[in-house]
Amino acid sequence: MRPSYHFCSATQAFLEGRGPACATPKHPEGTEAAGDPGAEEDGSETGRGAGRRRTAARPGSGCVGPRAGSCSPARPGPSRPRGAARPHRQARPVPGTRAEDTRGQRTPGGGPPCGLRSRPERRARTGRLSGGCPTLRVMWNTVTLCSLGRLPPHTTPPLLPRLQTFNRVFERKYKDLCHGKQPAHILQNQGLKRTRNMLPCRLVSNKAKCRRYTKTYPVLDGRILSVYQHVFEENLRNSEAVIKRYSELLEMVSKGGGENAILRHTQRNKKLFVRERLKLLLDDESFLELSPLAGLNMPYGDVPAAGCLTGIGKICGVWCVFMANDATVKGGTIYPIGVKKQLRAQEIAMQNRLLSVYLVDSGGAFLPLQSELFPDKSHGGRIFYNEAIMSAMRIPQVAVVCGSCVAGGAYVPTMAEEAVIIDKIGTLFLAGPPLVKAATGEYVSPEDLGGAKLHSKVSGCSDHFASSEKEAYECIRNVISTINYDPLPEEVIEHDSPLYSSDELLGLAPRDYRCTLPVKLILSRLMDGSRFQEFKANYGTTLVTGFGHVEGHLVGIVANNGELSHDAALKGSHFVQLCSQRSIPILFLQNTAPHTAEPTSISQAEAHSNRLKAQASMMAAVACAAVPKITIVIGGCYGSESYVMCGRSFSPNFLFLWPNARVALVDSRHFSTVPHTGDNDCTGDESELKQLKEKLEEESSAFYSSARLWDDGVILPQNTRKVIAQCLEILEQQKYQVISPYQYPVLRM
Ligand code: COA
């Protein structure tokens, strides 16, 4: 396992117990150039150095934050020989000087006072975690999940000096908000807008830092030439039509099980609609909903949002995965597609190390489809299996019982690390009152059988009792703030907008593979400042590769620009390895060709085999690249080339489609419906062929794919930049986690 974090030499010395972390001098302009090995080496902020800026500067500098100047310099000199006289201790700092601790308690060595030292810091200082094991930082872990928790032999016990700073800030904030005269809940009751600063949320830096990267990459020419105009307009008309359909579907899904079901849920059952619950759970920021169209037009009917909303949103500043049953859809019962959706959300949580929140309100399995829900490996039971595995991987999970949790559904909160149950709303049992009545003839109320009081006082299946929904979400937010998960530093990354309007992406989204315009026109509308550092610009030009920034995040781009030729595949293979070597996430813009021409000569057949070999090598490079991957299907997702471009089976961290996308083995729109005489493969009359063509066409649409969870959702072309930036930020969060090698889940006692 390759450690991806680098510390400056003095911090390294501190980690090894040789002296305090250095006060890494700040860049005069306030940027954090110092402490970044990349910046030291090449003297610039581009390329490798820029890509590691957060990684290197924050953990390594140790003293970033409000009190950076108060740290002692590093002591790289030789250690005191045995028996030599102890040097004079540093004099106590004079009150008012920088070295003086604001709380008046300074340790003799100039470090922070022991009593105020955070637990992670104390642990790290002694080099121990529970069980005497050192802590371990995670790297991008798409292929390292199985090795998490194992320590490489050379691992040193890392101290995380930034935790020290964060915890000091937290202590100060917590004191002000909760121990002072205005605890957080009072502030909230005053009707003030809830922000992360108002909660006792840890690790909030009160100084937003500013980061800037060098703007030297060449600017792309994104002008749409007049020769492209007719294609542009054709694409635009198609985009408008598919986006209209997309909006209708979203509108339908947003109503859950329909108006009557919502009324029954909110008025008769006195519960909040699932989207209202999310408003109380998440910070007041936009969140990324995953696969909202899942479950539409299934063989067993429409199941809006698969009966369960999933997505990624911030809670107390930390990106979390949420899974929330929608009880207006058949009592929140789990359909096969609902299982698939929850499993995908858990996979995202595992792959990206995101803590997870379950809002459980479910009647358990949708019984008419029980054979598709039980007992296979990827059926319902896998959700509970994953909960244990995630807990063992140190991915915390918490749950709110905000409705019925019957049968299998009862395991979700019971296997979570901490659970809140809501009085008179939440119930939890393996068999409900009707089954008890049928089995024993005795009537027992849901409350007595498995209500909030019973599980909080008697069974211990829940850990917190909430008297209302609002209280429950406040409680779960507080629970999350105790999880010791770090939010991303509050850093403002200065970035430029693209030079061309993102609305023009609608005319660049290909209606058909044959309507594809040069992909650099799309890149010029996605990259910061339309700047792109192209790699091998004149070689294998049917694949465009290079580096750029999206809202300040450095990313490697691999974009189809025609058929994936032999040279293009070799270039792709080389570039993907570069990204992996440099720990740079890769963004695939996929628009693969529906079919390739049949060879008509020996030399063409040879060329085909060579291309096959090159594509196989690129597939291997993509599969094994140990960096996060995001795939956006901007046009065609056809056949085997889609694997090379990191299709679903190649486990990208996120995969989204544009609404114009086509997903199929071949493009059925070009099929002839006229039967060929003597064609054995194509039997049937014209009407049968027409039906087949229609079926294949329908099955190739982006909405068909999204309904079946072959992707993480359809996104609008004009929102693509925002979504990519959000994903890159989510991916980055795992760099800030500290995990221990502890390999057991939390067992409920
Ligand atoms: N399988 C299939 N359908 C179910 C179901 C299940 N397990 N549980 C509920 N439904 C259906 C109901 O038939 C009803 O359908 P309808 O709208 O077409 O009439 C719909 O879900 C809503 O149920 P309803 O009971 O009216 O709603 P509610 O909000 O008052 O209660 C439950 C919801 C889940 C608490 C209640 O339906 C219940 O207890 N269901 C049985 C749960 C169970 O025993 N599950 C065992 C799974 S192994």
Side-chain angles (χ1 to χ4, degrees):
M1 189 162 166
R2 182 165 57 90
S4 65
Y5 292 91
H6 300 262
F7 301 100
C8 68
S9 55
T11 305
Q12 192 63 47
F14 189 36
L15 299 181
E16 288 161 12
R18 288 187 279 124
C22 72
T24 311
K26 284 204 152 198
H27 194 272
E29 282 87 40
T31 55
E32 294 183 9
D36 181 346
E40 274 166 28
E41 276 160 30
D42 58 26
S44 73
E45 292 196 316
T46 54
R48 193 170 180 159
R52 288 198 176 146
R53 185 141 319 279
R54 268 188 182 149
T55 326
R58 291 199 55 83
S61 59
C63 299
V64 288
R67 288 162 36 76
S70 66
C71 294
S72 308
R75 295 181 207 154
S79 55
R80 180 166 54 92
R82 246 181 201 202
R86 185 182 288 274
H88 285 300
R89 279 195 175 159
Q90 245 181 330
R92 236 172 215 284
V94 180
T97 59
R98 295 187 81 181
E100 186 212 14
D101 188 87
T102 45
R103 284 156 289 215
Q105 300 288 312
R106 200 72 186 154
T107 52
C114 293
L116 295 173
R117 198 170 286 137
S118 66
R119 210 175 60 165
E121 184 198 342
R122 281 202 304 273
R123 273 193 224 133
R125 198 170 245 283
T126 53
R128 281 186 292 107
L129 197 79
S130 49
C133 300
T135 52
L136 173 66
R137 276 184 162 275
V138 231
M139 59 179 291
W140 298 127
N141 56 20
T142 49
V143 294
T144 54
L145 290 181
C146 55
S147 62
L148 283 174
R150 280 182 224 140
L151 278 173
H154 56 273
T155 309
T156 50
L159 173 69
L160 303 169
R162 71 196 162 77
L163 278 183
Q164 172 187 338
T165 309
F166 279 145
N167 277 293
R168 280 201 217 105
V169 174
F170 165 62
E171 278 158 16
R172 192 163 55 240
K173 279 194 177 295
Y174 187 84
K175 197 171 138 200
D176 293 348
L177 291 172
C178 299
H179 293 170
K181 284 185 184 153
Q182 285 201 313
H185 67 89
I186 295 181
L187 290 173
Q188 279 160 25
N189 290 344
Q190 286 167 355
L192 295 171
K193 193 174 169 231
R194 184 182 62 205
T195 67
R196 48 194 289 198
N197 291 352
M198 295 176 62
L199 283 164
C201 80
R202 311 148 313 121
L203 315 175
V204 179
S205 159
N206 54 1
K207 247 194 204 172
K209 285 181 204 72
C210 196
R211 195 150 59 104
R212 172 183 280 285
Y213 56 91
T214 317
K215 298 171 183 170
T216 53
Y217 298 171
V219 175
L220 291 167
D221 182 357
R223 285 172 300 168
I224 295 157
L225 304 178
S226 53
V227 287
Y228 298 145
Q229 206 57 43
H230 69 287
V231 181
F232 184 88
E233 275 164 19
E234 201 176 327
N235 287 338
L236 187 61
R237 275 193 296 277
N238 178 61
S239 289
E240 281 166 358
V242 287
I243 289 173
K244 186 165 173 280
R245 176 77 188 128
Y246 175 59
S247 318
E248 287 165 3
L249 293 175
L250 275 188
E251 169 76 18
M252 185 179 125
V253 160
S254 69
K255 292 183 184 145
E259 278 167 21
N260 287 342
I262 293 180
L263 280 181
R264 185 175 56 200
H265 179 82
T266 53
Q267 296 193 354
R268 193 189 76 188
N269 296 348
K270 309 231 175 318
K271 295 190 280 189
L272 290 177
F273 184 44
V274 62
R275 292 188 185 270
E276 297 302 313
R277 287 175 168 166
L278 290 179
K279 280 187 199 158
L280 291 176
L281 174 73
L282 302 172
D283 291 354
D284 299 322
E285 286 181 40
S286 64
F287 61 87
L288 184 65
E289 186 171 345
L290 297 168
S291 303
L293 303 185
L296 291 184
N297 205 8
M298 304 304 289
Y300 38 80
D302 279 340
V303 188
C308 169
L309 267 59
T310 62
I312 307 173
K314 277 188 183 171
I315 302 177
C316 302
V318 178
W319 286 108
C320 304
V321 166
F322 62 81
M323 285 160 257
N325 299 117
D326 182 354
T328 66
V329 181
K330 287 277 181 195
T333 50
I334 315 284
Y335 283 72
I337 193 71
V339 170
K340 195 171 178 190
K341 193 169 178 184
Q342 290 197 42
L343 290 179
R344 173 61 189 154
Q346 286 183 324
E347 186 186 357
I348 287 178
M350 282 191 252
Q351 211 175 9
N352 304 299
R353 297 199 60 79
L354 296 167
L355 72 84
S356 308
V357 185
Y358 303 85
L359 304 187
V360 199
D361 187 354
S362 164
F366 182 74
L367 289 172
L369 295 175
Q370 64 94 24
S371 68
E372 292 174 53
L373 291 158
F374 177 84
D376 206 356
K377 185 178 169 186
S378 54
H379 283 171
R382 193 74 183 179
I383 297 172
F384 318 131
Y385 171 85
N386 282 348
E387 283 190 75
I389 296 297
M390 286 160 74
S391 180
M393 286 170 65
R394 312 298 268 182
I395 297 171
Q397 298 148 92
V398 295
V400 180
V401 181
C402 47
S404 178
C405 298
V406 193
Y411 288 104
V412 171
T414 317
M415 294 198 67
E417 292 180 4
E418 259 182 91
V420 183
I421 190 164
I422 305 171
D423 195 24
K424 299 191 179 66
I425 291 177
T427 51
L428 206 149
F429 27 65
L430 287 175
L435 214 67
V436 174
K437 173 96 175 138
T440 65
E442 188 188 349
Y443 174 76
V444 56
S445 74
E447 198 60 19
D448 290 341
L449 187 63
K453 290 193 181 79
L454 180 115
H455 285 304
S456 304
K457 288 183 183 168
V458 182
S459 77
C461 279
S462 77
D463 310 297
H464 304 274
F465 173 92
S467 49
S468 68
E469 291 221 33
K470 194 166 175 286
E471 193 182 311
Y473 300 115
E474 287 306 333
C475 178
I476 207 75
R477 286 173 60 85
N478 286 343
V479 166
I480 286 168
S481 75
T482 68
I483 279 174
N484 208 11
Y485 236 55
D486 299 355
L488 284 168
E490 275 193 2
E491 233 177 8
V492 179
I493 310 176
E494 281 195 12
H495 58 82
D496 295 327
S497 300
L499 300 182
Y500 305 93
S501 165
S502 60
D503 291 339
E504 288 166 347
L505 289 169
L506 299 188
L508 297 171
R511 184 190 79 81
D512 187 307
Y513 185 74
R514 294 178 303 194
C515 293
T516 299
L517 295 176
V519 76
K520 283 190 207 166
L521 295 178
I522 292 180
L523 288 179
S524 64
R525 284 155 181 85
L526 295 179
M527 299 287 109
D528 290 1
S530 302
R531 290 178 180 276
F532 185 58
Q533 172 67 22
E534 193 166 359
F535 175 75
K536 280 193 163 125
N538 301 321
Y539 179 81
T541 51
T542 54
L543 189 74
V544 170
T545 53
F547 298 100
H549 291 85
V550 180
E551 294 198 1
H553 301 274
L554 180 64
V555 68
I557 309 285
V558 179
N560 286 121
N561 195 35
E563 282 191 20
L564 195 60
S565 65
H566 167 267
D567 291 357
L570 284 187
K571 165 169 137 176
S573 186
H574 183 172
F575 182 75
V576 164
Q577 291 175 69
L578 285 186
C579 292
S580 183
Q581 198 82 350
R582 298 173 189 181
S583 290
I584 298 172
I586 309 174
L587 172 65
F588 292 86
L589 296 182
Q590 187 180 131
N591 180 23
T592 47
H595 44 72
T596 46
E598 297 297 319
T600 52
S601 64
I602 297 282
S603 61
Q604 268 190 19
E606 253 175 42
H608 273 223
S609 337
N610 283 340
R611 186 166 69 172
L612 187 68
K613 270 195 289 181
Q615 289 190 354
S617 104
M618 184 170 166
M619 263 193 222
V622 171
C624 297
V627 284
K629 293 156 221 158
I630 301 169
T631 302
I632 312 277
V633 181
I634 56 172
C637 171
Y638 289 114
S640 56
E641 279 187 22
S642 74
Y643 306 139
V644 187
M645 289 298 290
C646 204
R648 184 62 131 193
S649 36
F650 275 60
S651 289
N653 297 54
F654 296 101
L655 189 153
F656 297 101
L657 303 180
W658 281 1
N660 55 294
R662 313 286 302 173
V663 184
L665 274 173
V666 285
D667 191 349
S668 52
R669 286 181 293 186
H670 306 308
F671 279 3
S672 164
T673 52
V674 182
H676 291 249
T677 43
D679 188 347
N680 294 336
D681 294 342
C682 194
T683 50
D685 62 14
E686 194 169 339
S687 71
E688 277 176 2
L689 288 175
K690 250 188 185 161
Q691 268 182 8
L692 177 66
K693 184 174 162 158
E694 275 168 21
K695 179 177 176 292
L696 292 178
E697 272 185 44
E698 190 203 324
E699 289 178 358
S700 309
S701 88
F703 307 131
Y704 188 90
S705 161
S706 215
R708 279 149 192 81
L709 278 157
W710 300 341
D711 52 74
D712 296 316
V714 174
I715 56 168
L716 294 178
Q718 59 271 41
N719 291 347
T720 306
R721 196 172 131 80
K722 187 83 230 152
V723 172
I724 296 170
Q726 218 166 16
C727 289
L728 289 168
E729 196 184 306
I730 291 166
L731 292 167
E732 199 153 339
Q733 182 173 278
Q734 63 172 290
K735 285 187 181 178
Y736 291 85
Q737 307 316 324
V738 185
I739 59 160
S740 80
Y742 190 67
Q743 285 186 14
Y744 299 95
V746 171
L747 304 175
R748 187 170 284 280
M749 300 296 176

